[in-house]
Amino acid sequence: KNEVEQSPQNLTAQEGEFITINCSYSVGISALHWLQQHPGGGIVSLFMLSSGKKKHGRLIATINIQEKHSSLHITASHPRDSAVYICAVRFSKYSGAGSYQLTFGKGTKLSVIP
Amino acid sequence: SAVISQKPSRDICQRGTSLTIQCQVDSQVTMMFWYRQQPGQSLTLIATANQGSEATYESGFVIDKFPISRPNLTFSTLTVSNMSPEDSSIYLCSVEVFDRAERTFGSGTRLTVV
């Protein structure tokens, strides 16, 4: 059982639409990352969260620690936002060298159509 | 955050040969990781590269197949040895500075074995 679940798996949106991608996890975490992967394969770190909310430009990330859930929102979506968005968590249960481990969701493939 | 230069960005290799991937960071980092992403899958950790000592491999990955070097705090290499078509994947370098928890990823190496 994958301990990090993302939804939806695929998402197609019209340019300008508001987009939400969800991530849920099974046990306590020390940090959650939202990552963006473009077709070439490279990964960009968008946010690292341990509580609350962060905003960068048109991107907003929120996390609810009690509900073990995070969302990534994109306002006024644009075709250049088309990418795979990956949620990755650092579980609190790991210590020492294991505390650096990230567990990755399977990703959400977003396509924004002009 | 750290900036990573990963080379090559892509390669097509014959089965039975080996490919060495380089990861150069613009600042000293504590942790360096190598990941594999098979087509349509999420990231899987191959190993943690340790400076001046043998890498720590995850279950299912062995040093003979994926030898790793890390001679200093800013550079590491991953070699994919005796390649087969099943090794066709994206390989990613990732780094983290101790206590900052921010994770940076390289641009990836897209490997195709024919």
Side-chain angles (χ1 to χ4, degrees):
Chain A
K1 177 179 179 293
N2 196 335
E3 296 176 294
V4 180
E5 299 287 345
Q6 278 188 242
S7 63
Q9 187 174 348
N10 292 283
L11 180 57
T12 300
Q14 292 289 329
E15 182 173 356
E17 284 186 5
F18 180 85
I19 289 163
T20 296
I21 299 170
N22 297 297
C23 175
S24 60
Y25 48 91
S26 54
V27 295
I29 64 169
S30 57
L32 182 145
H33 300 255
W34 280 104
L35 310 171
Q36 181 190 55
Q37 185 173 33
H38 282 281
I43 290 177
V44 174
S45 180
L46 299 175
F47 296 103
M48 183 186 68
L49 294 163
S50 56
S51 64
K53 176 180 175 179
K54 288 189 176 181
K55 183 176 188 291
H56 185 258
R58 295 180 294 106
L59 301 178
I60 303 167
T62 64
I63 189 167
N64 185 317
I65 296 297
Q66 287 72 31
E67 295 187 3
K68 297 184 178 58
H69 180 269
S70 176
S71 294
L72 176 68
H73 305 286
I74 304 175
T75 62
S77 59
H78 189 277
R80 64 175 175 265
D81 297 325
S82 298
V84 175
Y85 292 83
I86 302 170
C87 171
V89 305
R90 192 186 306 266
F91 287 113
S92 303
K93 62 184 177 181
Y94 298 121
S95 61
S99 65
Y100 288 96
Q101 296 277 17
L102 292 180
T103 302
F104 297 85
K106 292 186 176 181
T108 295
K109 185 175 181 180
L110 171 65
S111 300
V112 182
I113 300 170
Chain B
S1 57
V3 176
I4 298 175
S5 173
Q6 184 175 338
K7 296 178 181 179
S9 59
R10 62 194 312 134
D11 208 341
I12 301 173
C13 300
Q14 296 290 324
R15 71 171 66 204
T17 62
S18 298
L19 176 71
T20 295
I21 303 168
Q22 297 182 356
C23 178
Q24 176 73 56
V25 192
D26 69 342
S27 58
Q28 293 186 346
V29 294
T30 309
M31 308 296 291
M32 296 184 79
F33 307 95
W34 287 100
Y35 290 91
R36 181 176 73 181
Q37 186 181 31
Q38 295 177 300
Q41 303 297 313
S42 60
L43 280 73
T44 300
L45 180 64
I46 298 171
T48 302
N50 300 310
Q51 190 244 336
S53 64
E54 189 173 295
T56 304
Y57 289 85
E58 297 300 305
S59 176
F61 297 95
V62 296
I63 188 171
D64 290 345
K65 176 67 176 176
F66 298 100
I68 288 171
S69 77
R70 189 181 174 189
N72 56 52
L73 292 176
T74 63
F75 184 77
S76 178
T77 65
L78 167 74
T79 299
V80 186
S81 302
N82 188 24
M83 288 184 285
S84 67
E86 292 70 36
D87 295 318
S88 298
S89 297
I90 297 172
Y91 293 86
L92 291 134
C93 167
S94 178
V95 303
E96 187 167 317
V97 177
F98 181 70
D99 272 356
R100 292 192 196 166
E102 293 178 357
R103 184 66 74 91
T104 305
F105 290 83
S107 53
T109 297
R110 185 179 293 270
L111 171 62
T112 302
V113 183
V114 297

